[in-house]
Amino acid sequence: MFHLTLHLADDALIIGHRNSEWTGHGPNLEQDIAISNIALDQIGQARNFYQYAAELCNNNREAYTKFISSPAFHQVSGPIDEDDLAYLRDAMEFRNHLLAELKKGDWAVTITRQFFISLYQQLLYTDLQYSADKRLAAIAEKSLKEVNYHVRWSGEWVIRLGDGTEESHRRMETAIDQLWPYVGELFVPADFQLEAAASGLLKNPEYYRQPWLEKTGAAFEQAGLMLPAPNWYQKGGKQGIHTEHLGHLLAEMQYLQRSHPGAQW
Amino acid sequence: MSTESTIWKVLEEVKDPEVPVLSVVDLGIIRDVKQTENGAEITITPTYSGCPAMDVIAMQIRMVLAGHGYAPVTIRTVLSPAWTTEWMTETGKEKLLAYGIAPPNPKQQVCTPDFFQQEEAVQCPHCRSFHTRRISEFGSTACKALYQCEDCKEPFDYFKCH
């Protein structure tokens, strides 16, 4: 349960942080505001998951944190909290999908990645809101209402760019080619997901592959884009084996708390 | 007047820092109020997961209740059932309109996840025309979308149905 909650939190935080990189740099004011709002939703969702993960962790700290080697984390005296989990773990202790940590790229990459992840979250949270774990269910119920906006917004942009100009279409094709090898990981269960499925907390993510492909295919058809054939895929994020991009992201995101532990403003 | 209705009355003084015409009661985020021996226990629910106003609101609830002699003040946050604009009071909707923000439409009209779905007839808070268009799904805060009136040409915020 702790690892599942941490994974859900890490996914939300890392994609949220990536999207926040657009704040002040969006292609136009409205879309700058849109992507920043989405980032805010995701970081808020991450906080809800981290708060729960911290409570679980405090109940059985030794067992749950032995995979964390970061000295900064183990120096925390007293109960750990959401910030300790977000700011004091190292890259190999994060459990997010690789797709979430890739660089934001151009607008086409950001939109395509957002659509892929939001669709996955929509399917996942729709089920999770009926989970036997009431706390995860409540977070999912809350998050789903926001994710529905994210799917609609990113889906509309997929169609607008795919069916837009020659250049926007070309950029979408490049983005899809670049991101596709990272999609497979969404549907391949990690050990903690198999355990969660066995105890009835959540379905095996394999179950979402087909509905995800159907929904993506429907949007791509409207956009005049091709759904790539199934191919080999990158994996490892859920086991802590990340791309080099995550380390750079964490260096920036965690700098303040690492340099000035406990800083507040 | 019962003690709990006194607390509800006091909470009317706490305003949403981002939409200062609305009280937290108007907004529908106060889910439960209990009088304890000398203090109060307030249950709140966030509007959006990442709404930065929530921390400020919790602090203001503490301050206002402390100002009325309640101690200790405990604030609990619940996520389920998830907040909906259905819980906004009718007075709250009137205050929004007077402030220049279009109040949320009733739920049954909207909230579908279909692409390019437009909300029905969002009314311009300035000239009351229904001839308006959405400029952006996301506005100055998580709870608002940006619209423009096609008649008086004024842009305006719409407190979106959620």
Side-chain angles (χ1 to χ4, degrees):
Chain A
M1 174 86 83
F2 171 72
H3 291 276
L4 174 70
T5 308
L6 196 61
H7 156 72
L8 295 168
D10 288 346
D11 249 7
L13 177 68
I14 300 301
I15 180 79
H17 186 83
R18 274 294 181 225
N19 285 336
S20 77
E21 293 172 0
W22 280 106
T23 304
H25 304 273
N28 64 36
L29 187 58
E30 285 79 11
Q31 299 318 317
D32 191 311
I33 292 169
I35 194 80
S36 301
N37 265 301
I38 291 173
L40 192 62
D41 285 342
Q42 288 163 325
I43 291 167
Q45 292 161 12
R47 286 190 61 189
N48 288 331
F49 284 123
Y50 280 129
Q51 285 165 9
Y52 185 36
E55 284 173 34
L56 292 169
C57 183
N58 287 323
N59 292 336
N60 199 353
R61 188 143 155 194
E62 210 165 306
Y64 284 149
T65 59
K66 50 175 194 248
F67 80 102
I68 299 176
S69 56
S70 154
F73 185 86
H74 290 284
Q75 277 161 17
V76 175
S77 56
I80 61 137
D81 65 15
E82 51 179 320
D83 287 340
D84 301 326
L85 287 171
Y87 294 124
L88 302 181
R89 280 179 302 140
D90 294 335
M92 63 193 140
E93 293 139 13
F94 273 74
R95 293 292 178 261
N96 58 281
H97 291 110
L98 299 175
L99 184 59
E101 73 201 36
L102 300 176
K103 291 170 93 169
K104 76 181 195 301
D106 64 8
W107 192 241
V109 171
T110 287
I111 290 297
T112 307
R113 186 241 305 266
Q114 191 56 51
F115 183 61
F116 286 172
I117 290 188
S118 293
L119 254 189
Y120 171 77
Q121 287 180 331
Q122 190 179 46
L123 293 165
L124 185 78
Y125 294 163
T126 300
D127 279 342
L128 190 61
Q129 63 180 337
Y130 304 110
S131 172
D133 185 279
K134 294 296 162 230
R135 187 74 175 271
L136 286 181
I139 301 172
E141 178 191 345
K142 179 82 203 157
S143 306
L144 181 61
K145 297 184 78 168
E146 295 152 7
V147 167
N148 287 339
Y149 283 122
H150 307 168
V151 169
R152 185 163 71 185
W153 175 84
S154 57
E156 287 175 3
W157 271 101
V158 164
I159 295 165
R160 208 175 272 131
L161 294 175
D163 194 23
T165 65
E166 219 168 277
E167 184 180 359
S168 73
H169 183 84
R170 178 183 59 73
R171 286 193 186 220
M172 283 301 286
E173 285 182 331
T174 310
I176 293 163
D177 286 346
Q178 185 187 326
L179 297 173
W180 198 251
Y182 297 91
V183 165
E185 192 192 15
L186 297 174
F187 309 109
V188 178
D191 289 346
F192 58 80
Q193 288 172 310
L194 289 174
E195 282 165 29
S199 53
L201 288 174
L202 190 57
K203 289 191 181 110
N204 184 322
E206 176 68 42
Y207 175 85
Y208 301 114
R209 186 193 304 270
Q210 206 46 42
W212 187 94
L213 281 170
E214 278 165 23
K215 282 171 184 267
T216 305
F220 276 20
E221 199 178 317
Q222 280 192 64
L225 294 163
M226 295 285 285
L227 201 62
N231 206 343
W232 66 276
Y233 58 90
Q234 300 278 5
K235 56 181 189 293
K238 291 186 272 198
Q239 289 76 31
I241 304 162
H242 291 277
T243 66
E244 73 269 32
H245 307 303
L246 183 64
H248 291 280
L249 181 153
L250 294 181
E252 189 171 294
M253 187 182 81
Q254 297 182 333
Y255 168 79
L256 192 84
Q257 284 302 325
R258 298 287 189 129
S259 310
H260 304 276
Q264 290 190 348
W265 68 92
Chain B
M1 198 188 275
S2 81
T3 48
E4 259 130 40
S5 52
T6 313
I7 298 176
W8 279 100
K9 197 96 189 118
V10 170
L11 290 175
E12 289 277 0
E13 294 172 29
V14 180
K15 306 297 179 195
D16 178 337
E18 285 174 341
V19 190
V21 285
L22 285 187
S23 77
V24 289
V25 177
D26 290 327
L27 205 51
I29 60 171
I30 307 290
R31 302 316 299 156
D32 194 29
V33 163
K34 276 200 183 73
Q35 160 101 42
T36 56
E37 200 178 338
N38 296 310
E41 192 182 299
I42 312 295
T43 305
I44 60 175
T45 193
T47 50
Y48 286 74
S49 299
C51 179
M54 292 310 296
D55 290 339
V56 179
I57 287 173
M59 192 178 71
Q60 286 180 346
I61 289 176
R62 275 177 214 286
M63 282 168 57
V64 166
L65 283 170
H68 283 80
Y70 292 90
V73 175
T74 313
I75 296 180
R76 281 195 329 124
T77 302
V78 293
L79 293 178
S80 176
W83 177 80
T84 159
T85 42
E86 297 277 275
W87 296 345
M88 190 184 285
T89 62
E90 289 306 313
T91 338
K93 289 180 186 171
E94 284 162 22
K95 288 184 200 166
L96 275 180
L97 188 62
Y99 189 62
I101 296 175
N105 275 339
K107 187 165 189 152
Q108 56 271 24
Q109 297 186 2
V110 289
C111 294
T112 71
D114 297 343
F115 299 144
F116 300 107
Q117 173 87 25
Q118 290 280 343
E119 299 209 359
E120 282 177 46
V122 171
Q123 193 178 13
C124 171
H126 307 296
C127 74
R128 307 294 153 94
S129 163
F130 283 100
H131 189 206
T132 60
R133 72 183 178 101
R134 190 178 75 197
I135 294 173
S136 174
E137 171 105 42
F138 296 89
S140 54
T141 63
C143 53
K144 287 176 269 171
L146 196 58
Y147 273 70
Q148 185 177 19
C149 179
E150 302 277 42
D151 284 333
C152 74
K153 308 291 180 202
E154 283 292 316
F156 64 91
D157 272 337
Y158 167 55
F159 200 111
K160 61 191 172 196
C161 165
H162 190 73

